[in-house]
Amino acid sequence: MRAPDLSTTIAGIRMKNPLTVGSGTYGHHGVFGQFYPVETMGALVTKTIRSHRWPGNPPPRVHEVPSGLHSSVGIPCNDWDYFVAHDVPILKGLKVPIIQSVIGRTEDEYVEIVRRCSELGIFAGIELNLSCPNTKQGGVDFGYDPEASFHLVKRARDATKLPLIAKLAPDYSLLSRVAKSVEAAGADAISLVNAPRAMCIDYRTRKPIIGNRVGALSGTAIKPMAVYMVWEVYRAVRVPIFGMGGVTDYRDVIEFMAAGARAVAFGTINYVDPMALPRALEDLTTYLQENGIEDVNELVGAAHDDRDELLIPAENRLESEVPV
Amino acid sequence: MEQVFASVVFNRHLTGDYWLLEAEAPALAASLLPGQFVNVRIEGSAAPYLRRPFSVYRVSRDRRRLQIAYKVMGEGTGLMTSSIRENGRCDLIGPLGHGFSLPANAKRIAVVGRGIGIAALPTLADEAASRGIEVHAFLSARTRPNLVALDIFAEYAFPVVTHTDEARANALVTDALAALAQKVRFDAFYVCGSNRLARAVHALAQKQNVPAEIAMEQHMACGFGDCHGCVIAVNLRPSRGEKAFKEVCHYGPVFQTWEVVDASA
Ligand SMILES: Cc1cc2nc3c(=O)[nH]c(=O)nc-3n(C[C@H](O)[C@H](O)[C@H](O)COP(=O)(O)OP(=O)(O)OC[C@H]3O[C@@H](n4cnc5c(N)ncnc54)[C@H](O)[C@@H]3O)c2cc1C
Ligand SMILES: Cc1cc2nc3c(=O)[nH]c(=O)nc-3n(C[C@H](O)[C@H](O)[C@H](O)COP(=O)(O)O)c2cc1C
Ligand code: FES
């Protein structure tokens, strides 16, 4: 049988395979490919950067939980000049489409960093990390607010010609509405899930364990929730989806693609099993061959069926959750 | 730095609360510098999820094998005693971090360790011995059986002062170092395993204008610099003042004592 076609195009970004990494979970200080060539993956999503220097959150920042990681790193960042002098030359040398993730505390900060990144001319796309408290609007994350997300993405849209990916915060109640907002505002793709908020309290001290008190949860523990959210967003929008949340191997990749993801990101598993992505790529290829699937894109949305109703009673649905 | 599936030579009880794991990992062992560490994955079970970081206790003379001396603390180290078996394999990433540095013309150094912190010191003692540097060890632990590495210092006939809480609860093993340092000149101090000892060593180092290094620990997710999870607050200058967060796995685990003593206060 012919080798299956693994390539895909998402938001206009051509990927030789649908595997990528979650922002902030792969590479550091401009060091990539410590375990395998970064060119193995279909696209590289880099750690979120800001327009200004930021120390990140106080330690402790990580805490192990059953099948997962509780963390609050706080997106530490060097200043822009350092990024340009140190990281950019390294990124330029990589032969893989690079999606730069960015964040800001205000719309203006987002727009500024989007503009600067596009001007560099080295990125295949920009991912807006919407999991940041909107300091001008009472500190609610942009990603938890359909209107704020809309305005932010619209302004970012006007600031760049590059493919724009909106990375959503995992919020059950507003997920579809936020997804539709960012699509309407011009996002070319949606990426989800970012790590949901979480807290662990030490029963002995009765105080939160993580320095920032509030952290996030990632890894295997969140996978079923993340798969569901990808499934829901797939039904709500037409733009393609980068799916992630607890991916460890090729079976998870297939699960996310079946839920509706066109590309799938490896996150926390990179810390534990750094060869997980290349191994999954091999296993995925074998799976496609064994199942007579010639094009990996055939997996996308396979879990959906003709029943067009969401399994939520109509009277409990928000208007925007009416199936598309 | 690389990931290796090392074949396990043995994994057995050492002394007190400690176990000793020896594995064959030639490339890793050959490039390992004193004070560097490895990150161990416990295979074959979903929990624990993360790897566990350990100093390399010793590298064999032919530099093909390495040892880890570990204290059974919780779920991970508990599982290590049963799941890592002779002739089996052990998933390791290393060598990781920046280790100890020996001053160019050092003649005599003092190493101070408490509890499992002692496990970071033998690779330094081996390196010092190979350069003809005399090592004085000051080791402390809760109980006598928890004093590890005594045999290693004995191999070189390096003088060792020991201290256990059972014997003299309030004294510090560094009291003996401070007394000796009045009489003989040390070119560097090294400390790990206790904040109290670190403060004492740092104070002595400042008084005598001698460099002092400390091996730090912090909870880690990756161990190789990617997650930014293992930071501690460090002083950017000996005079204190400006501080920054630095990753223990990347900038450490060995720091100058002035970088970390009192930095988080
Ligand atoms: C650079 C470095 C070198 C180390 N060298 C040694 C050594 O040579 N021998 C030895 O016995 N121990 C050493 N430790 C400590 C060792 O990593 C912990 O004792 C071990 O992770 C405990 O795992 P557990 O599952 O048994 O305990 P649990 O308490 O159940 O672990 C829960 C979580 O906390 C983390 N954790 C707990 N204690 C520590 C700690 N002190 N440092 C970092 N993470 C911790 C674990 O990794 C795990 O993620 C070292 C730690 C670091 C950072
Ligand atoms: C330590 C850590 C740092 C992260 N940093 C970022 C980041 O900078 N930007 C971002 O968009 N997501 C960040 N994430 C979220 C991941 O990219 C991913 O969305 C999330 O962890 C879920 O996937 P996983 O369960 O496979 O890790 C981070 C996650 C972790 C655990
Ligand atoms: S443990 Fe991940 S950066 Fe140090």
Side-chain angles (χ1 to χ4, degrees):
Chain A
M1 190 192 143
R2 275 193 313 154
D5 185 359
L6 284 150
S7 68
T8 190
T9 301
I10 176 162
I13 302 165
R14 276 197 54 77
M15 294 171 61
K16 66 179 177 196
N17 64 62
L19 306 191
T20 179
V21 286
S23 172
T25 66
Y26 174 90
H28 72 100
H29 302 103
V31 179
F32 299 98
Q34 298 195 92
F35 296 95
Y36 58 91
V38 49
E39 288 80 8
T40 309
M41 57 183 85
L44 166 67
V45 182
T46 51
K47 173 87 185 160
T48 303
I49 58 167
R50 306 167 177 272
S51 56
H52 56 279
R53 195 181 182 79
W54 188 253
N57 288 335
R61 289 179 172 179
V62 292
H63 173 67
E64 185 184 62
V65 296
S67 300
L69 173 66
H70 175 44
S71 67
S72 182
V73 168
I75 313 189
C77 191
N78 276 304
D79 53 40
W80 175 257
D81 292 342
Y82 181 91
F83 178 73
V84 170
H86 178 264
D87 294 55
V88 167
I90 295 166
L91 293 170
K92 264 187 188 160
L94 305 180
K95 293 179 186 58
V96 63
I98 303 170
I99 298 166
Q100 178 63 55
S101 168
V102 301
I103 204 165
R105 291 166 300 181
T106 60
E107 267 185 24
D108 289 344
E109 279 187 13
Y110 271 104
V111 169
E112 174 64 16
I113 189 73
V114 166
R115 196 184 49 73
R116 286 189 203 169
C117 286
S118 338
E119 280 170 5
L120 287 173
I122 61 168
F123 297 123
I126 292 182
E127 182 171 276
L128 295 172
N129 179 348
L130 296 179
S131 295
C132 189
N134 181 351
T135 48
K136 292 234 167 100
Q137 296 289 334
V140 175
D141 281 14
F142 284 94
Y144 287 126
D145 180 342
E147 264 177 52
S149 311
F150 179 86
H151 288 294
L152 174 61
V153 173
K154 192 143 184 50
R155 284 197 58 199
R157 177 71 291 163
D158 294 341
T160 184
K161 292 200 163 53
L162 287 175
L164 202 54
I165 301 146
K167 185 165 181 185
L168 303 191
D171 175 331
Y172 279 107
S173 59
L174 294 171
L175 188 62
S176 290
R177 279 172 64 183
V178 175
K180 286 180 173 167
S181 305
V182 299
E183 180 181 50
D188 301 291
I190 286 174
S191 130
L192 79 162
V193 300
N194 208 324
R197 287 208 186 146
M199 181 178 281
C200 292
I201 294 171
D202 186 334
Y203 73 93
R204 289 158 298 201
T205 62
R206 303 184 289 277
K207 297 288 177 209
I209 290 175
I210 288 288
N212 189 48
R213 298 166 302 168
V214 180
L217 181 63
S218 64
T220 308
I222 67 167
K223 198 189 77 181
M225 185 205 90
V227 169
Y228 166 72
M229 289 190 168
V230 168
W231 187 86
E232 183 185 322
V233 169
Y234 181 77
R235 299 178 80 99
V237 299
R238 289 175 200 288
V239 290
I241 298 169
F242 288 83
M244 75 199 76
V247 173
T248 58
D249 61 19
Y250 79 103
R251 294 171 300 187
D252 299 338
V253 171
I254 293 163
E255 211 178 318
F256 272 91
M257 293 190 80
R262 190 158 289 273
V264 178
F266 286 64
T268 305
I269 194 67
N270 293 321
Y271 303 148
V272 182
D273 180 8
M275 293 299 286
L277 186 151
R279 196 178 325 111
L281 183 59
E282 249 175 59
D283 293 343
L284 176 65
T285 310
T286 309
Y287 173 90
L288 295 176
Q289 262 162 346
E290 285 176 359
N291 288 276
I293 300 170
E294 288 179 10
D295 180 352
V296 74
N297 294 292
E298 287 174 35
L299 299 173
V300 181
H304 293 263
D305 54 38
D306 296 339
R307 286 176 292 167
D308 67 351
E309 78 276 14
L310 284 173
L311 307 177
I312 302 170
E315 62 273 22
N316 292 349
R317 264 185 243 154
L318 295 168
E319 199 189 334
S320 58
E321 281 172 342
V322 172
V324 284
Chain B
M1 194 264 300
E2 60 174 345
Q3 181 187 20
V4 292
F5 294 94
S7 52
V8 177
V9 182
F10 61 75
N11 181 30
R12 62 182 179 227
H13 181 247
L14 176 63
T15 172
D17 304 330
Y18 300 107
W19 277 60
L20 187 66
L21 163 67
E22 179 167 298
E24 176 121 5
L28 202 168
S31 60
L32 186 115
L33 301 169
Q36 286 187 304
F37 70 102
V38 293
N39 216 355
V40 177
R41 185 166 195 208
I42 299 146
E43 290 189 279
S45 78
Y49 186 71
L50 298 174
R51 287 174 182 266
R52 296 292 186 267
F54 298 97
S55 306
V56 169
Y57 185 61
R58 226 152 179 218
V59 172
S60 63
R61 277 189 202 286
D62 62 6
R63 298 201 74 90
R64 293 184 56 81
R65 286 166 292 131
L66 57 82
Q67 293 182 340
I68 294 166
Y70 62 98
K71 182 173 181 183
V72 179
M73 295 290 294
E75 197 183 7
T77 45
L79 259 172
M80 280 170 68
T81 63
S82 56
S83 69
I84 300 179
R85 294 198 196 89
E86 200 172 306
N87 299 322
R89 70 174 196 178
C90 179
D91 178 349
L92 300 172
I93 293 177
L96 295 166
H98 287 89
F100 296 111
S101 55
L102 283 163
N105 298 312
K107 298 261 175 309
R108 186 184 297 116
I109 62 170
V111 300
V112 179
R114 174 164 171 91
I116 198 56
I118 301 171
L121 298 173
T123 51
L124 177 64
D126 286 333
E127 175 68 19
S130 76
R131 293 205 212 164
I133 299 169
E134 183 181 311
V135 180
H136 288 247
F138 299 83
L139 311 178
S140 116
R142 224 165 15 84
T143 60
R144 184 89 205 158
N146 285 324
L147 282 170
V148 294
L150 294 179
D151 53 330
I152 298 172
F153 291 101
E155 254 177 55
Y156 299 112
F158 287 148
V160 179
V161 174
T162 63
H163 169 100
T164 60
D165 301 354
E166 309 163 304
R168 293 158 68 226
N170 291 317
L172 287 182
V173 72
T174 40
D175 297 346
L177 169 61
L180 184 62
Q182 304 276 351
K183 290 179 234 147
V184 299
R185 160 89 197 169
F186 287 100
D187 299 303
F189 298 133
Y190 304 86
V191 60
C192 34
S194 150
N195 290 336
R196 268 177 91 200
L197 295 182
R199 275 195 295 277
V201 168
H202 177 61
L204 189 62
Q206 280 200 311
K207 211 162 98 196
Q208 305 213 329
N209 199 21
V210 166
E213 293 185 338
I214 178 167
M216 296 297 291
E217 290 182 5
Q218 178 57 289
H219 288 223
M220 296 181 168
C222 70
F224 44 81
D226 282 9
C227 75
H228 304 285
C230 63
V231 296
I232 52 170
V234 300
N235 296 310
L236 290 178
R237 268 174 281 284
S239 53
R240 314 262 166 78
E242 209 190 333
K243 294 178 170 107
F245 293 134
K246 286 198 173 174
E247 289 83 1
V248 168
C249 76
H250 183 75
Y251 296 97
V254 176
F255 291 88
Q256 304 297 315
T257 54
W258 62 257
E259 288 183 278
V260 298
V261 168
D262 295 335
S264 53

